[in-house]
Amino acid sequence: MGRLTRRGLTAAAFLWPCAPALLRAQTWPSGTIRLIVPFPAGGSVDALARLAQPGLERRLGATVIVENRPGAGGSVGANMVAKSPADGLTWLFVFDTHAVNPTLLPSMGFDANRDLDPVMLIGTAPMVITAHPGQPYRTLADIIAAARDKPGTIPYGTIGNGSLGHLAMTLLAKRAGVRFNHIPYRGGGPLVNDALGGHVPLAIASSAVLAAHLAAGTLRPIAQTGTARAATLSAVPTVAESGFAGFEAEAWWAVFAPAGTPAAMVQRFNAELTASFRDESILRQLTENQQVKLMTAGPAELKRFFEGQMAIWGQVVRENSIKAD
């Protein structure tokens, strides 16, 4: 038997507190993995999680389920994940409301930076301002002119109060010196239904929500909010090109985990999720059907991106006294 040296004792003392985490990481996954979607089934976040599920299940060799936990702009499900064990069995899929909620919902019960660890920035997509084909609006200038002519009376719909679409239009109105009439809906489904029926003349949502209707010509695209034209919307000008230099408001999707989830688990989950999304058939669905620009960026990049989004949209919420529904 080898002699136990002082150096060996020191190393053992250093490693002992880490032993349980190292053991868990080596045996992971050893149970059912839950992908928590904090929105109802049928939305863009739900679609991304369900696209990822089969590939994750196959690559991780574990049962993977998608669990919808909707409520309060995604904060109910996020709160549940923030309070879950950091054992690599619970992962949170979110989109852009996740960066707005800390300012919009100051009593949501958890700290988005402290209680959740970044895992992956899945991708981005522009918001698109659209009009019903029966409306006279064909350019952003037409909409701005109408708002100047009839202040506060031109309605536009979004997926909800405090949503990125609402904040983007609030910022646009401020830069243009006009006022619109905001009509909040409870999700993309109700918004699209009323937009298609002409019950709301203008709507703004991510291209993922609107793609099928833009392709079918049942909604008319007016402007997109990315820094450059999306490849799938090459004929649609950006807001920046339409007279508002530097304007940017992109939808985004990401994954977080309970704070303290072992780095080895995060790294492997990130790698297997990347492989799942980059599978040829899944990638085609993401880019063509969901209109997502796939990024699969890691924890450090997501952390920087998320903090930047919190700063930008938190300021819009505060400066315009925007309240949750």
Side-chain angles (χ1 to χ4, degrees), residues 11-27 262 265:
F14 175 78
L15 290 172
W16 176 250
C18 305
L22 290 171
L23 182 62
R24 287 198 304 272
Q26 289 169 358
T27 59
M265 294 180 188

Side-chain angles (χ1 to χ4, degrees), residues 239-318:
V239 172
E241 290 175 314
S242 303
F244 299 91
F247 190 95
E248 177 185 359
E250 288 195 303
W252 54 271
W253 295 264
V255 180
F256 289 80
T261 299
M265 294 180 188
V266 170
Q267 289 166 6
R268 187 176 173 202
F269 187 86
N270 187 302
E272 305 300 4
L273 184 57
T274 296
S276 298
F277 278 140
R278 293 196 180 278
D279 177 271
E280 186 177 346
S281 63
I282 301 302
L283 181 60
R284 185 166 55 251
Q285 291 182 69
L286 282 170
T287 55
E288 294 179 6
N289 298 346
Q290 297 296 319
Q291 305 281 303
V292 173
K293 178 185 176 183
L294 192 64
M295 298 173 72
T296 61
E301 189 167 350
L302 173 55
K303 179 178 172 61
R304 289 192 296 271
F305 177 85
F306 178 59
E307 289 174 350
Q309 291 291 295
M310 284 180 62
I312 292 167
W313 300 115
Q315 182 176 346
V316 175
V317 170
R318 287 188 296 270

Side-chain angles (χ1 to χ4, degrees), residues 1 12 16 20 46 48 54 62 75-76 97 117 129 151 186 194 205 218 220 235 239-240 257 263 267 270 284 293:
M1 180 182 294
W16 176 250
D46 183 68
L48 264 63
S75 66
V76 170
T97 58
D117 285 346
I129 302 170
R186 294 193 177 274
D194 266 17
T218 47
R220 178 190 298 144
V239 172
Q267 289 166 6
N270 187 302
R284 185 166 55 251
K293 178 185 176 183

Side-chain angles (χ1 to χ4, degrees), residues 187-203:
L191 168 64
V192 169
N193 286 341
D194 266 17
L196 292 173
H199 305 300
V200 62
L202 298 168

